Amino acid sequence: MPIPRKLPFPIFDDEDDWDAEAARTAGPSAPPPARSATQLPPNHFLAQRPVTPPPQTSVIAQRYWSSRARPDTSSLAAADFDVHVQTAFLPPEVPVARLGPELGGGWDNVELLLEQAQEEVKYLDGGGVGRLSHEWRHSVKQLEIPSISALQTLPLLRRAHVALSFLGHFYIHSTFPALSTLPKGIAVPWVAVSDKLGLPPILTYADTVLWNWRLIDPSLGIRPDNVDIVTTFTSSLSERAFFLLSLLCELEASPILRNMSATLDESFFADRLALPRIASYLLQIASQIDNLGTIINGATKGSFGPGGMWEIIPACFYWEIRPWFNGGTWMYEGVKENDDDEDDDEVAVGKEMEWGGPSAGQSSLVHAVDLFLGVDHSPRDGSTAGTSVAASSSKPTNNGTSSSSSSRPIRPLPGAVAVAPSPKASLEVEKRAAPKASDSTFMLRMMLYMPGHHRSFLHHLSSLHTPSASNSRPIPSVRTLAQTHSPQLAEAYDTAILAMKRFRDLHMRLVTVFIVSQARREPGKGSVFWQGWEDKRVEMEREKERREREQEHEKELVGTGGTALVTFLKTCRERTVEAALKAQ
């Protein structure tokens, strides 16, 4: 007898579950929550996907697991993907704001050095980049390696990664030009904590947004007007607003994921009752994506958030805040070159690694919507990478996948698996499998910077439509259903696609205002970047004057017949070449 199972995807709390058969017979006008956990036939895709309990080394609390290894019904953070029904990719609990002395293990020293850097930067020009004191750097070099064993819970590990990431970037960018070697007091615990979380040892989107917020009034719960940022580099309002911009978008994720989940459940049936529901879900997703665009558009125009309470000053962001984010090729002192070497007697000199800094592209939300809708960002053979959807001429096959000589089906993500491996193993496998920068796309590379469980979530979402040994009956993709049932679904599907297009249009405007335009403007004289900018400006002025002198000289050099000499000779040469028979 198959056990009752829910879709391995965040749906509804138990109190929101409802009878599936009653919902289906109620017709398309009924409210659209997803089907509840009912007895499923053995060929149903939910019954074919057992959820694997976390390994013994996992930091995920065992209380989330029942004797049937079934995920807790109120949160998928209990299972493989760390995606919550109410907060989506944000943790359901308020993140730890500080590792205090009561924790032990020396973590309060990490927090103290971080606070000292923040205090220094408050009084420095240009956002403080490149200007932290020699005394502070000396203190960081003397930092003893904190104990990883003190971090017994997932929230503590997350805060440790946030603190080490900000401290590491403070240290690297404390001088100008930036340093390239991290002291072992930062490097060793940073790599160890990163391995547990499936993250690289670098500042990521998770550090600046997902795990970096607090409630202004705990009694009001998590909502747009009741959240603030905990840790920043500059303590400026613009930096807090920049992180809050992404945080407010993450708060919009839960209803999107709920509708995606409900759509996938209905896709298994794809009958006359399911199709109108799928169309309704797609239209709701389109509206919810437009909500994201509204937030971004507000930031571009000047203010965003409830009542327009937040504003990001473009010049402040580009010249004073953004430089702190920069990654690079760094030597992680004290880290063993070979991660598999368990010889404790080995004296580790260090390991050189190259990572990029945080980016909104590291958010799992947009990646999830792209996968759900079938937007393909995989590298193109013989052409530049870009965003596209599989060609509309593709024909759906019996198993629900697309097949056509003129189109490419959406590829599973590199290393896609039905259940999550350990975060560290997943990151190592994917980094080896990821294309090099010359033939990769931004979207695929950004997945390496997501928490390991969120990457596993995207892998799982990608694998739902792909036949495999554990998935003998793939779910038809939304795009395939829209092509197969064009009258009912095509318009709703295109509405969702166009909403994503609008979202990307607005994001491009944001990038233009805060990055492209600012890169062409002079930094403040208090910035460490001003002298380099001034030297470049002077050199450009000299080059302009040189070209003008050459042009003036050419005007003066004329033939005896009054013809401009250089232009005339070039033309004669070209006409001579044209006369060659080979040219004809």
Side-chain angles (χ1 to χ4, degrees), residues 417-439:
V417 288
V419 293
S422 69
K424 178 181 176 182
S426 175
L427 179 62
E428 291 172 346
V429 169
E430 290 176 56
K431 190 173 184 184
R432 288 194 298 268
K436 300 298 182 183
S438 59
D439 61 354

Side-chain angles (χ1 to χ4, degrees), residues 7 11 25 36 64 67 69 109 122 241 255-256 265 278 280 313 325 333 340 360 373 412 424 432 461 482 504 545-546:
L7 180 66
I11 309 178
T25 56
S36 66
Y64 290 126
S67 59
N109 294 326
K122 285 182 182 178
I256 296 176
D265 201 8
I278 293 173
S280 173
I313 300 173
F325 301 168
E333 190 178 80
D340 298 327
L373 293 175
K424 178 181 176 182
R432 288 194 298 268
L461 184 58
R504 288 198 157 95
E545 292 174 0
R546 186 187 64 79

